[in-house]
Amino acid sequence: MRMLPPRRASLLVAALAAAASTAAIAQADRASQAFETIRAVLQHPRCQNCHIPGDAPLQYDAGIPHAMNVQRGPVGLGATAMECSVCHGEANLPVSYGAHVPPGAPHWRLPPPQIKMVFINLTPAQLCAQIKNPRETGGKDLQAMLVHNRDDKLVAWGWEPGVGREPVPIPRAQFVAAWQEWMSLGAPCPAN
């Protein structure tokens, strides 16, 4: 086997290192873009109105406190005698009912108080760390979180929230694809 002269060998090593560096930067950019899509969905009012730090959900696109002093309750289904299902049915009411009627989806609820999964006022790095932490997600790893976001009917409601509410503007399939890509790239978190 013939050896390259030292100068050519060092040029080849430098070229390979530059190519590897360029590929790593491109991969990091793809991961960053994928996570930005995830962040934009999770921090949209359709998601963050229920993923709250306190115990009173928010409502409407402006994220105002829920009327009637609604509270999370001991398991996320509302306070005793004011459960979410009293007003929120299994589906949105027909458009003919007008604006400002309670929306509906199967199993309407808030996250339980032990696993609030807060999306409000978090930096992208904090949000990323939270969704990667099974202690913060009720034991769900990233794959289980993907399945939850892909298959759960209450999550799906965010894209069809009924009259008077802005749907999540990023198509759900694009959100799921971004989650898959982010995971395939190692699920890196953005820097603070």
Side-chain angles (χ1 to χ4, degrees):
M1 183 161 142
R2 200 174 107 199
M3 300 287 288
L4 290 174
R7 172 122 172 95
R8 287 186 83 194
S10 74
L11 288 174
L12 179 60
V13 168
L16 290 173
S21 176
T22 300
I25 290 169
Q27 181 172 325
D29 285 347
R30 284 180 35 225
S32 177
Q33 290 169 0
F35 185 76
E36 177 52 28
T37 298
I38 294 165
R39 187 218 54 79
V41 170
L42 297 181
Q43 291 188 319
H44 184 274
R46 295 296 73 77
C47 297
Q48 73 176 11
N49 279 355
C50 292
H51 288 271
I52 52 173
D55 288 319
L58 305 175
Q59 63 186 103
Y60 305 118
D61 295 338
I64 62 172
H66 198 297
M68 298 171 280
N69 194 29
V70 169
Q71 297 294 308
R72 183 186 307 271
V75 295
L77 297 173
T80 304
M82 270 187 85
E83 287 87 5
C84 303
S85 62
V86 169
C87 297
H88 297 279
E90 291 289 305
N92 287 328
L93 294 169
V95 173
S96 62
Y97 279 55
H100 307 299
V101 295
H107 314 292
W108 195 274
R109 62 175 299 134
L110 295 169
Q114 308 87 329
I115 312 162
K116 291 181 178 180
M117 285 290 301
V118 175
F119 297 162
I120 295 173
N121 297 326
L122 297 181
T123 67
Q126 290 168 324
L127 179 65
C128 181
Q130 178 177 256
I131 63 177
K132 289 176 67 172
N133 184 345
R135 287 189 308 271
E136 298 284 334
T137 64
K140 290 181 175 86
D141 63 10
L142 286 177
Q143 181 62 39
M145 292 288 291
L146 169 67
V147 169
H148 170 73
N149 285 306
R150 183 190 67 209
D151 298 343
D152 187 271
K153 291 181 182 356
L154 180 54
V155 172
W157 170 85
W159 283 268
E160 295 182 26
V163 66
R165 291 170 193 85
E166 196 62 39
V168 174
I170 295 166
R172 192 167 185 206
Q174 183 180 340
F175 170 59
V176 169
W179 195 291
Q180 290 169 322
E181 180 171 31
W182 176 62
M183 284 176 37
S184 76
L185 296 169
C189 288
N192 276 332

